[in-house]
């Protein structure tokens, strides 16, 4: 996992869509079984904002920014279906966001505004990582294990997490979407 440099007075945050049971356990255990150590630090999820360095003194403004964004969006359905890879650009195998990808993209773009107006290392592509940085055989095994995978649920909001130096995510705040 890439963590950008931290300056004095900064911390890492990430913003995610949580995956409910039973799928989060299934996908996290699969990632662990493939040998990806990140599975021990963060459960399977859809990233909206990857680990990002922010000033701790700006936490109140950050919370306000995310609350405002949540109020502008409504719950939507996500469907995970099938698998793919970012190879050869990046050694990542993932489950595809088949339904709700546009909503995830719009939400991620909205989040990356104002206080979180940052450039990403890679173009945003909603997905659920299964294996990252492993050998080709492990990446292929991840793809094979999820060829027929499918899960669907209504996304009620998103989560702000603190990320520590080992890449472990811990929840800081939940942001529910406007009720429709």
């Amino acid at each position: 996992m890439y963590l950008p440099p931290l300056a004095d007075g900064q911390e890492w945050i990430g913003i995610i869509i949580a995956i409910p049971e039973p799928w989060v356990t299934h996908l996290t255990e699969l990632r662990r079984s493939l040998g990806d150590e990140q599975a021990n630090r963060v459960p399977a999820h859809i990233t909206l904002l990857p680990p990002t360095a922010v000033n701790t003194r700006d936490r109140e403004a950050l919370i306000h920014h995310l609350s405002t964004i949540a109020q502008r969006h409504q719950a939507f359905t996500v469907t995970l279906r099938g698998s793919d890879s970012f190879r050869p650009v990046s050694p990542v195998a993932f489950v595809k966001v088949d339904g709700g990808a546009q909503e995830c993209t719009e939400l991620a773009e909205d989040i990356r505004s104002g206080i979180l107006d940052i450039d990403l290392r890679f173009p945003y592509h909603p997905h659920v990582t299964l294996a990252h940085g492993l050998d080709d055989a492990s990446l292929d095994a991840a793809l094979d294990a999820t060829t027929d995978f499918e899960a669907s649920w209504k996304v009620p909001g998103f989560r702000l997490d603190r990320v520590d130096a080992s890449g472990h995510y811990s929840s800081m705040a939940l942001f529910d979407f406007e009720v429709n």
Side-chain angles (χ1 to χ4, degrees), residues 16-18 20 46-48 69-70 72-80 97-111 124 126-127 151-159 175-180:
I16 69 164
I17 292 174
I46 299 169
T47 299
L48 294 170
I69 288 166
R72 291 196 301 251
H73 291 265
Q74 294 185 347
F76 61 95
T77 299
V78 159
T79 300
L80 305 179
V97 175
D98 187 52
Q102 182 64 38
E103 290 89 342
C104 288
T105 300
E106 290 170 0
L107 180 58
E109 288 172 356
D110 205 6
I111 287 169
Y124 181 76
H127 66 282
S152 189
W153 73 95
K154 193 159 193 160
V155 176
F158 57 91
R159 192 173 86 199
F175 298 90
D176 292 331
F177 295 131
E178 183 68 25
V179 177
N180 49 355

Side-chain angles (χ1 to χ4, degrees), residues 87-100:
R87 290 182 288 183
V89 174
S90 182
V92 175
F94 60 89
V95 174
K96 296 188 287 188
V97 175
D98 187 52

Side-chain angles (χ1 to χ4, degrees), residues 27 32 34 39 60 65 76 83 94 97 107 130 137 148 167 179:
L27 293 172
R32 185 176 289 117
L34 294 164
E60 188 175 319
H65 173 71
F76 61 95
S83 56
F94 60 89
V97 175
L107 180 58
L130 293 170
D148 297 324
V179 177

